[in-house]
Amino acid sequence: SQTIHQWPATLVQPVGSPLSLECTVEGTSNPNLYWYRQAAGRGLQLLFYSVGIGQISSEVPQNLSASRPQDRQFILSSKKLLLSDSGFYLCAWSVRVWDTEAFFGQGTRLTVV
Amino acid sequence: AQSVTQLGSHVSVSEGALVLLRCNYSSSVPPYLFWYVQYPNQGLQLLLKYTTGATLVKGINGFEAEFKKSETSFHLTKPSAHMSDAAEYFCAVTLVIQGAQKLVFGQGTRLTINP
């Protein structure tokens, strides 16, 4: 069966520090991968998606970047965190683009102080 | 503009009462529709989905939703609420944006169950 792992579960980082959140998927190959951010009362915002190794599409201009160094690994990064980067970050995968459901990781609660 | 709207950011019902969470969408092509549930500090779990076929879709935990093309709606219902249903619920729709299919979420509805 397929599983998705996302870590860390919680993170408190000072403003200006770097960020690296990692997500890995097991039990499938060539998944579509996504990073979402959930800010309080604002639903889920798609940040990045990837249909293959090295292929990243950015949905909104921001202080974050994403990379896919391996087929089942998706990394969310920042060189310098802002207070506005605080939120709940969710990684997800799907088999095909959008006609099947996405499966979500447990999320990372990021607090920038 | 193509979008997803969940009417009501907070819904409160009594235990045993009907649950109705509303979702309307705007799309230029027939959409794929999903409802997800999120418990505190957890990821999202799929409740049910509509892709093709029967417009009344049954999901987990006794929930169901009906796709009504004429009303561009996909409302989520449950006949009798249980305390364990307290969570946040998200409607999601595949939309075509700038030629690419994207999965777009509504703003979410927080469901509270009163004893």
Side-chain angles (χ1 to χ4, degrees):
Chain A
S1 64
Q2 301 90 359
T3 57
I4 180 169
H5 302 281
Q6 186 181 342
W7 69 93
T10 60
L11 190 60
V12 179
Q13 292 284 97
V15 169
S17 64
L19 173 73
S20 180
L21 303 182
E22 189 162 343
C23 173
T24 60
V25 180
E26 296 177 357
T28 187
S29 59
N30 197 29
N32 295 316
L33 296 171
Y34 318 99
W35 279 110
Y36 285 88
R37 176 168 58 200
Q38 185 177 17
R42 296 182 63 183
L44 276 78
Q45 180 184 37
L46 179 61
L47 301 176
F48 301 96
Y49 69 95
S50 171
V51 298
I53 296 174
Q55 300 178 61
I56 309 295
S57 296
S58 175
E59 289 298 293
V60 293
Q62 57 205 315
N63 185 42
L64 302 168
S65 62
S67 62
R68 185 171 177 174
Q70 300 180 43
D71 180 45
R72 292 170 292 175
Q73 184 184 29
F74 205 25
I75 298 171
L76 183 69
S77 304
S78 173
K79 293 182 179 179
K80 290 185 177 181
L81 284 169
L82 306 172
L83 286 174
S84 58
D85 292 324
S86 294
F88 193 53
Y89 289 83
L90 290 159
C91 180
W93 74 274
S94 70
V95 175
R96 293 186 294 274
V97 182
W98 306 129
D99 65 344
T100 56
E101 67 266 30
F103 298 90
F104 285 80
Q106 292 299 295
T108 296
R109 172 75 59 192
L110 172 65
T111 304
V112 182
V113 296
Chain B
Q2 302 184 95
S3 65
V4 183
T5 302
Q6 289 183 240
L7 188 61
S9 58
H10 291 86
V11 170
S12 181
V13 303
S14 299
E15 189 174 17
L18 171 71
V19 175
L20 171 61
L21 305 183
R22 300 178 186 274
C23 175
N24 288 88
Y25 69 91
S26 169
S27 174
S28 59
V29 298
Y32 300 118
L33 300 156
F34 308 86
W35 274 99
Y36 285 84
V37 61
Q38 184 183 32
Y39 298 101
N41 293 312
Q42 293 189 25
L44 277 68
Q45 178 184 7
L46 182 71
L47 273 178
L48 47 80
K49 65 179 179 181
Y50 169 79
T51 54
T52 58
T55 56
L56 180 62
V57 181
K58 295 187 184 298
I60 62 172
N61 301 339
F63 284 92
E64 62 183 34
E66 185 171 12
F67 170 53
K68 293 187 176 180
K69 184 178 179 180
S70 62
E71 299 177 7
T72 61
S73 69
F74 191 55
H75 301 330
L76 181 71
T77 60
K78 182 174 180 177
S80 178
H82 191 272
M83 296 299 291
S84 61
D85 294 327
E88 188 150 19
Y89 293 80
F90 291 92
C91 178
V93 180
T94 53
L95 300 172
V96 177
I97 301 175
Q98 296 181 335
Q101 279 189 296
K102 305 286 177 65
L103 181 62
V104 177
F105 284 83
Q107 292 298 96
T109 298
R110 184 167 300 279
L111 177 64
T112 301
I113 310 298
N114 302 314

